[in-house]
Amino acid sequence: MLILLPPSETKTRPAALEAPSLDLASMSRGELREAREDMLRAAKLTAESDTAMSALKIPTTQPELRERMAHLEREPVAPPLEVYSGVLYDALGTVSVSDGCRLLVQSALFGVVDCTEDLIPAYRLSAGSEVLGLGKVSTWWKQHLKDIGAAIERSGEIVIDCRSGAYRSMMPLKGAQVLEVSPVAVREGTRQVISHDAKRYRGLVARALCEAPEAATTAESVLDVLTSALGDALDFEVTDGKNRRTLTVIDDWERR
């Protein structure tokens, strides 16, 4: 089973005195090394430019982020689950990944990050960013992640897609085994799409599936795992649509 997560906009910088620095050669998915070097170089040039603050969407209250982006190769690194923060990662917590399960993050800087193998710095870059020489980040990565996406589709493994739309566009996935997680709330018998708190539900789903004694291999076994772990508070269903399957997380306030 593969679980795909989006990155977080907020990140926790590793303790500089204890952490090593970035080493692209040691990262998983070695076939992406050249692309990662190109993106790292473009991000650095953008951070050094006059348009850095707007291009990287750096808050005026955090000008130090610009300096850190200009010297990412010297920034301390840590496992992704210690760097990414925010609502989704709070819900995911310090999860342990069971055998047969892979937990990957779609990254604007590195393309794909493995949560159990890679070490990354706290960076400021998103799918919608524009970087010098490469243009829009999501568009540039799409061509470089095409082979990885195709390999995932060919593998036939169940894919739990917790990514947001911008990061799905970086590596589009289709096929019967790809389940896009979509949380909804029930109010007075009517379903309403959850937007503000959607990340929390995706984090809960990822945690339950990561910690299952056995990795789910089908949509039916995904439903079984989630119902067993979270069924007291949430309902789940899988529906088929045009070129996509959806894993709907249903929060029925009336039931609660």
Side-chain angles (χ1 to χ4, degrees):
M1 175 175 58
L2 169 62
I3 302 174
L4 273 173
L5 302 177
S8 61
E9 184 173 335
T10 57
K11 300 173 184 68
T12 301
R13 190 188 190 199
L17 294 178
E18 303 172 4
S21 56
L22 180 63
D23 180 11
L24 292 180
S26 68
M27 294 185 70
S28 64
R29 299 285 183 181
E31 67 269 33
L32 292 178
R33 181 174 178 179
E34 185 176 343
R36 287 166 173 163
E37 289 174 344
D38 289 343
M39 182 56 71
L40 192 66
R41 188 179 305 112
K44 177 182 173 68
L45 290 174
T46 304
E48 294 171 342
S49 72
D50 294 337
T51 60
M53 299 296 283
S54 59
L56 300 177
K57 298 180 175 63
I58 297 174
T60 56
T61 56
Q62 296 178 285
E64 71 278 3
L65 294 180
R66 177 182 181 179
E67 179 67 17
R68 283 159 50 182
M69 282 297 295
H71 301 93
L72 273 175
E73 72 282 356
R74 300 205 300 261
E75 280 292 295
V77 296
L81 294 185
E82 294 180 18
V83 175
Y84 294 120
S85 55
V87 175
L88 188 153
Y89 290 91
D90 287 344
L92 181 62
T94 54
V95 68
S96 57
V97 182
S98 61
D99 292 341
C101 177
R102 293 187 296 149
L103 188 60
L104 303 183
V105 178
Q106 196 84 72
S107 166
L109 186 62
F110 300 110
V112 174
V113 167
D114 190 304
C115 289
T116 61
E117 297 184 24
D118 293 328
L119 299 174
I120 62 170
Y123 59 90
R124 183 77 182 189
L125 193 69
S126 66
S129 297
E130 297 267 353
V131 293
L132 293 177
L134 302 183
K136 189 175 181 179
V137 169
S138 60
T139 303
W140 186 86
W141 271 117
K142 186 174 182 179
Q143 60 182 319
H144 293 86
L145 295 173
K146 185 181 298 184
D147 289 345
I148 291 177
I152 290 172
E153 292 176 342
R154 288 195 304 270
S155 72
E157 70 180 325
I158 193 79
V159 179
I160 310 303
D161 191 348
C162 296
R163 299 173 297 170
S164 58
Y167 287 95
R168 284 175 180 159
S169 72
M170 283 177 56
M171 189 174 71
L173 294 176
K174 298 179 181 179
Q177 289 289 79
V178 179
L179 304 180
E180 297 183 1
V181 180
S182 177
V184 299
V186 179
R187 304 286 189 275
E188 298 180 353
T190 301
R191 292 187 180 185
Q192 302 174 2
V193 174
I194 296 173
S195 54
H196 176 69
D197 208 25
K199 293 178 181 179
R200 182 175 71 86
Y201 291 93
R202 289 173 176 143
L204 292 173
V205 165
R207 182 182 183 90
L209 292 171
C210 281
E211 294 187 334
E214 294 184 7
T217 57
T218 64
E220 291 72 22
S221 58
V222 167
L223 291 176
D224 288 343
V225 169
L226 295 177
T227 300
S228 176
L230 301 169
D232 289 343
L234 303 169
D235 294 317
F236 304 90
E237 66 181 30
V238 172
T239 55
D240 295 325
K242 186 177 181 181
N243 296 324
R244 59 181 290 186
R245 299 186 83 192
T246 301
L247 170 60
T248 305
V249 183
I250 307 162
D251 190 345
D252 188 340
W253 283 31
E254 295 174 359
R255 193 190 77 168
R256 289 194 293 171

